[in-house]
Amino acid sequence: MPGPLSLIVIAVVALLIFGPKKLPELGKAFGSSLREFKNATKGLVDDDDDDVATKKKEEQKELR
């Protein structure tokens, strides 16, 4: 994990490259993208959990 000095350097470089007007828009876009990615991966994990639960139920029925 980067230290505080690294984060400050990255923030200053981003500010110099994109400027103070564009930076909030980029942050908002990044946050939205990250939220979508997390929701999509959570959906995949939930689907896998449902598949595993279904298989376990089928196996228990076969054992009876």
Side-chain angles (χ1 to χ4, degrees):
M1 191 122 183
L5 183 58
S6 300
L7 294 175
I8 292 171
V9 171
I10 291 170
V12 169
V13 170
L15 188 61
L16 290 173
I17 291 174
F18 298 112
K21 293 182 181 178
K22 190 75 171 173
L23 207 54
E25 294 174 20
L26 292 173
K28 183 178 179 181
F30 178 74
S32 297
S33 300
L34 185 61
R35 190 176 317 115
E36 279 185 43
F37 179 75
K38 286 174 70 175
N39 288 338
T41 55
K42 183 180 178 188
L44 291 174
V45 170
D46 290 344
D47 289 345
D48 288 344
D49 290 344
D50 291 343
D51 292 342
V52 170
T54 303
K55 286 181 182 179
K56 284 184 180 181
K57 286 180 183 178
E58 290 174 358
E59 289 174 0
Q60 288 176 353
K61 286 180 182 179
E62 291 175 0
L63 293 175
R64 292 181 186 172

